[in-house]
Amino acid sequence: MITYEYPFNERVRTYLRLEQLFDRVFSLIEDTEVIEHHFALTTMFEIMDVGARADLKSDVMKDLERQKQTLIGYRGNPAIEPDALEQLIERMQLCFDGLNAIAGRAGQALTEIDWLMAVRSRAAIPGGTCEFDLPAYFAWKHLPATRRQQDLRNWIHTLRPLAASIRLLLNLLRQSGTPQKVSVVGGQYQQSLQQGRTSQLVRVALDREAELIPEISGNRLVLSIRLLRLGEDARLHASGQDATLEITLCA
């Protein structure tokens, strides 16, 4: 199965983008090749661009606090395993404290490293990190892989509280929904959303062997899915075939 996710608001859209970037940068850092470390740096710059939004850290902390208060309300519920609940509340508090300890916006500490900012400004230019533009960066790329990895880990360390917080919030959001199988007739599906329950994310899973691509759109009232197929002309075309999807609405 391939799972596609579609956010219903800008906040969750930002969280999903950051999650993807953090997953990529952590994976690239563990590699030892110079080219992977170059892309680890450019990915870190992308995270800084997204994290530069003034209200991002505040939004994440508000979400953590709101989720923590919801979980606290489950204390004493016989259907909830108490140790697991307390561990989750503690984890949420650690994420909150980690973010709270960061001065300024996410990634602001990195903007004070002149060498790093010089690379960032040139990386935005196609081919701008050649040795004649950035000889210091060229020399860094010739350092031992372990040294480059340590530098990258030191730089990304200031962003780890944000990464942990977003991963926790998204995991809780994904677990809030119940999957349901639906039939798509003629490649089109539409579903009215339940009033009084604001969904923040929809997850659409379909069989990879069907080679279908869902085009998802929606708002607080309705969810629409149109199935597409990649043609031999390398273009997407509407698919009129019937299919079965698994849809999870997460609130």
Side-chain angles (χ1 to χ4, degrees):
M1 301 289 281
I2 302 178
T3 300
Y4 296 82
E5 295 185 323
Y6 182 86
F8 287 115
N9 59 60
E10 189 60 33
R11 191 181 77 262
V12 175
R13 182 174 286 108
T14 299
Y15 290 177
L16 290 171
R17 285 174 176 155
L18 283 169
E19 180 188 49
Q20 179 192 147
L21 291 170
F22 277 123
D23 286 346
R24 185 198 306 167
V25 75
F26 291 139
S27 176
L28 289 169
I29 288 174
E30 294 309 310
D31 207 299
T32 58
E33 297 297 323
V34 172
I35 189 65
E36 306 296 342
H37 290 171
H38 169 79
F39 286 116
L41 267 180
T42 58
T43 302
M44 189 172 68
F45 297 149
E46 289 185 62
I47 294 171
M48 292 172 66
D49 289 339
V50 179
R53 208 186 77 194
D55 55 350
L56 174 64
K57 189 175 79 169
S58 173
D59 281 349
V60 175
M61 292 176 68
K62 286 177 183 176
D63 280 347
L64 287 170
E65 183 61 26
R66 184 163 48 246
Q67 288 283 6
K68 190 182 79 169
Q69 293 305 319
T70 299
L71 292 173
I72 287 174
Y74 288 124
R75 283 175 172 163
N77 189 324
I80 304 295
E81 207 285 311
D83 289 341
L85 177 63
E86 293 306 318
Q87 288 175 11
L88 186 53
I89 292 173
E90 181 181 356
R91 189 175 158 201
M92 201 157 287
Q93 186 62 50
L94 287 173
C95 286
F96 183 93
D97 293 341
L99 270 180
N100 198 36
I102 297 175
R105 301 174 184 177
Q108 185 170 318
L110 297 176
T111 63
E112 300 171 4
I113 304 174
D114 294 339
W115 181 88
L116 205 54
M117 292 304 97
V119 178
R120 182 186 184 186
S121 64
R122 295 300 307 180
I125 302 171
T129 56
C130 291
E131 63 270 25
F132 52 82
D133 287 314
L134 289 173
Y137 178 55
F138 188 68
W140 180 82
K141 291 193 293 183
H142 283 78
L143 293 174
T146 52
R147 168 68 186 280
R148 296 195 309 271
Q149 284 177 318
Q150 188 57 52
D151 286 342
L152 289 165
R153 289 182 183 124
N154 289 341
W155 294 327
I156 203 67
H157 181 73
T158 62
L159 294 165
R160 284 188 179 274
L162 179 62
S165 299
I166 286 175
R167 184 171 289 112
L168 178 58
L169 288 171
L170 285 177
N171 284 344
L172 287 172
L173 179 59
R174 288 169 178 134
Q175 292 169 18
S176 69
T178 302
Q180 57 172 330
K181 286 191 175 182
V182 301
S183 297
V184 179
V185 179
Q188 299 274 355
Y189 176 79
Q190 192 170 88
Q191 175 181 334
S192 297
L193 300 183
Q194 182 179 341
Q195 298 299 306
R197 184 177 187 268
T198 304
S199 296
Q200 300 188 68
L201 176 76
V202 62
R203 310 185 79 218
V204 178
L206 48 80
D207 191 337
R208 70 176 67 234
E209 293 182 0
E211 297 184 350
L212 294 171
I213 302 167
E215 183 182 67
I216 308 168
S217 61
N219 51 45
R220 62 186 180 85
L221 299 175
V222 65
L223 167 69
S224 297
I225 300 172
R226 186 165 70 111
L227 296 181
L228 307 174
R229 185 183 297 278
L230 187 63
E232 294 182 359
D233 57 356
R235 295 182 180 181
L236 289 174
H237 300 274
S239 171
Q241 75 180 75
D242 298 346
T244 300
L245 304 180
E246 187 177 85
I247 294 178
T248 307
L249 290 167
C250 308

